[in-house]
Amino acid sequence: MGSQIGVTGLAVMGQNLARNIARHGFPVAVHNRSESRTKHLIERYGDEGDFTPATSLEDFVASLDRPRRIVIMVKAGGPVDAVIDELVPLLDKGDILIDGGNSHFEDTRRREKALAERGLHFLGTGVSGGEEGALNGPSIMPGGPDDAYAPVAEILTTIAAQVDGTPCAAHIGPDGAGHYVKMAHNGIEYADMQLIAEAYDLLTSAAGLSAPEIGQIFRQWNEGDLESFLIETTATVLGHTDAATGRPLVDVILDEAEQKGTGRWTAQSALELGVPVTAITEAVYARALSARKDQRTRASAILPGPSGGSAPDGFVDAVRDALYASKVVAYAQGFEQMRAASDEYDWNVDPGTLATIWRGGCIIRARFLDRIKEAYERSPELPNLLLDDYFRDAVANAQDAWRKVVHTAVDLGVPTPAFSASLAYYDGFRRERGPASLIQGLRDFFGAHTYRRVDREGVFHTLWSEDRREVSAD
Ligand code: 6PG
């Protein structure tokens, strides 16, 4: 008997995933381009399960049961194509390749199509949860044909995180669906972290609290509706003291946020689909602005801000409410985007399933996901989470505090792009009539782009440069 599955690419995510598989009793073949990682894995963790190390891809492939199931855990982009190209001549019809990296969904669609033409299956699979999740139970989002998922379903659902007896792994849909939702997960992760960072900034810059004090506040928040991995982690990071200086670590970390691209891809795709995901996009922009440290340093010396001011009473609780309301908006936007993508690419993605498998294992895991799951159970076709009774009430209850926080931030000159954008979206979304009528009027004026009317059917144009008569443009 050979191994039931193989993992190639044994950097920390691949290594931990292979260990997770082996620990659950599935014989696993392991391979890495440079042999040292394979050796390290076997020496250090070989007793955790049934590993078959291979030094060449030929041996690796030969050691697998059929259909062969191979997880590729290499850097997204060219390296994935390179590994696929090497593997393909060694494989037989019906074998299954699983790309577990953060690949762009369009690459996944291309690969799935090309491999299907050769009789091979490809599952573009989002894996979330970082190193710890890969080892102890990630959230897993496979996308690809049903025939490819069925033979790996048992392994993937077994190694995934489990919440209330339900695995945090499910078949998402065909071709790029799995990588798309993983990308959107990361976009939401960006928004979530930006909102947390803005709350931290307000509590520092407006309320004058120290990092450990704010850490304590986050710890308390983690006992309520905000309970989540990221809030808990924020408490831990803010409470940590730098050994070298004795100062809070967060005070000595350089304030330039890096990014690998998934948040940007989410915003790009949202723009193409025409879905307003303002919180995610503002989070991407905020990282870009943070990275302009030199310019900010220059600007800080010459650009004046407002003169003084302080946070109002009850500010800490207000920030908590603003954070929750903004988070509802960010998730509502992210879920709407996934629905739009699913329609566009014909994926039939079920948003309730996403909420279910994101309750555990992944970076955005949170109590809140249970509420989203329930909302989709109540109304599977819900177009926007803000239209659900629970979220409508949650935001309505928070809105006074939310407005006060944004108002205070503006008065004091503390930037809160994601809080503010979320509130502006909420106000735009809840208005039956907005100012786009003027935009249409302007477009008609300078470009004869036409407009429709509220009082009768048809398409119209005003002869602006003649006698300003309205004519039908049907
Ligand atoms: C996850 C994370 C993981 C990674 C991000 C970080 O779900 O486990 O999202 O994929 O931490 O890619 O992304 P940035 O480096 O772009 O912040």
Side-chain angles (χ1 to χ4, degrees):
M1 264 214 0
S3 296
Q4 281 187 37
I5 191 164
V7 178
T8 179
L10 299 176
V12 88
M13 285 295 287
Q15 171 180 282
N16 284 0
L17 211 58
R19 290 174 60 200
N20 183 353
I21 294 168
R23 284 174 173 192
H24 280 94
F26 300 105
V28 56
V30 286
H31 168 267
N32 191 67
R33 185 173 296 273
S34 70
E35 212 186 316
S36 58
R37 281 191 200 274
T38 318
K39 273 196 177 144
H40 168 83
L41 168 58
I42 299 303
E43 275 164 24
R44 194 100 194 256
Y45 307 110
D47 59 356
E48 290 183 354
D50 184 350
F51 293 99
T52 302
T55 49
S56 69
L57 269 184
E58 286 78 5
D59 291 348
F60 173 68
V61 169
S63 72
L64 294 168
D65 282 348
R66 295 196 190 183
R68 301 182 182 96
R69 287 160 275 212
I70 298 176
V71 184
I72 300 169
M73 293 300 291
V74 301
K75 209 164 164 331
V80 175
D81 286 316
V83 172
I84 292 174
D85 288 347
E86 278 181 67
L87 278 169
V88 165
L90 309 173
L91 300 177
D92 294 300
K93 280 197 175 16
D95 287 348
I96 303 157
L97 295 178
I98 304 161
D99 172 14
N102 276 329
S103 291
H104 193 286
F105 74 99
E106 291 286 15
D107 284 338
T108 301
R109 301 182 76 205
R110 167 179 60 77
R111 289 169 186 146
E112 201 272 326
K113 194 160 172 274
L115 289 166
E117 278 163 16
R118 310 183 69 147
L120 298 171
H121 289 314
F122 187 66
L123 284 175
T125 302
V127 179
S128 177
E131 298 170 17
E132 204 271 337
L135 184 61
N136 296 317
S139 178
I140 308 179
M141 298 148 246
D146 293 342
D147 290 355
Y149 180 65
V152 296
E154 189 198 346
I155 298 178
L156 297 187
T157 51
T158 305
I159 65 164
Q162 313 285 321
V163 175
D164 303 335
T166 304
C168 295
H171 186 210
I172 304 298
D175 62 76
H179 274 143
Y180 193 94
V181 301
K182 175 58 184 13
M183 173 193 81
H185 162 285
N186 281 25
I188 295 172
E189 171 187 308
Y190 273 51
D192 225 335
M193 290 200 289
Q194 175 62 25
L195 292 168
I196 287 172
E198 289 176 19
Y200 155 69
D201 194 8
L202 286 163
L203 296 179
T204 308
S205 310
L209 298 172
S210 68
E213 286 169 333
I214 302 169
Q216 277 306 324
I217 291 169
F218 271 87
R219 207 162 284 294
Q220 283 159 17
W221 288 356
N222 198 43
E223 285 170 14
D225 287 338
L226 280 169
E227 181 192 324
S228 62
F229 170 73
L230 284 171
I231 295 284
E232 186 190 351
T233 305
T234 303
T236 305
V237 171
L238 289 174
H240 185 67
T241 305
D242 173 44
T245 59
R247 295 172 58 193
L249 177 69
V250 73
D251 290 350
V252 295
I253 295 180
L254 183 67
D255 56 334
E256 287 184 28
E258 296 178 14
Q259 50 184 317
K260 294 194 203 74
T262 45
R264 187 173 65 243
W265 295 347
T266 309
Q268 284 169 336
S269 168
L271 279 173
E272 269 160 31
L273 293 167
V275 183
V277 294
T278 55
I280 294 171
T281 307
E282 287 295 352
V284 177
Y285 287 150
R287 288 199 193 189
L289 184 59
S290 83
R292 282 160 173 68
K293 179 78 174 175
D294 289 349
Q295 286 190 48
R296 288 193 291 117
T297 302
R298 278 180 67 187
S300 70
I302 56 173
L303 298 182
S307 48
S310 60
D313 290 344
F315 192 62
V316 173
D317 287 347
V319 172
R320 181 201 55 215
D321 290 352
L323 178 54
Y324 191 64
S326 303
K327 180 168 162 145
V328 170
V329 169
Y331 279 66
Q333 294 178 341
F335 272 78
E336 190 187 341
Q337 173 171 351
M338 289 186 286
R339 192 186 281 287
S342 175
D343 290 347
E344 172 73 19
Y345 299 106
D346 223 358
W347 284 333
N348 207 14
V349 172
D350 174 31
T353 300
L354 296 177
T356 304
I357 66 168
W358 288 349
R359 292 180 306 157
C362 67
I363 302 297
I364 64 170
R365 61 185 180 266
R367 180 194 282 201
F368 182 71
L369 266 310
D370 273 318
R371 306 286 88 80
I372 299 182
K373 174 176 175 281
E374 289 157 11
Y376 284 115
E377 277 164 6
R378 280 190 288 276
S379 172
E381 298 305 319
L382 189 69
N384 187 304
L385 284 172
L386 289 168
L387 299 174
D388 172 74
D389 289 356
Y390 171 83
F391 289 110
R392 178 201 60 198
D393 294 347
V395 173
N397 292 336
Q399 75 162 313
D400 288 349
W402 195 11
R403 292 182 194 286
K404 181 160 83 174
V405 167
V406 171
H407 193 272
T408 305
V410 171
D411 275 352
L412 299 184
V414 180
T416 53
F419 274 28
S420 310
S422 301
L423 180 55
Y425 174 89
Y426 175 70
D427 282 335
F429 187 61
R430 70 184 180 78
R431 285 180 77 191
E432 200 260 332
R433 182 162 171 84
S437 51
L438 177 59
I439 292 171
Q440 287 295 80
L442 296 171
R443 291 177 69 247
D444 191 57
F445 180 94
F446 60 68
H449 293 299
T450 74
Y451 51 86
R452 285 177 294 134
R453 299 178 56 100
V454 295
D455 52 359
R456 52 182 199 273
E457 290 295 313
V459 181
F460 302 94
H461 168 56
T462 291
L463 301 170
W464 295 100
S465 53
E466 299 173 28
D467 56 1
R468 302 203 168 177
R469 246 183 327 117
E470 184 177 77
V471 294
S472 167
D474 273 331

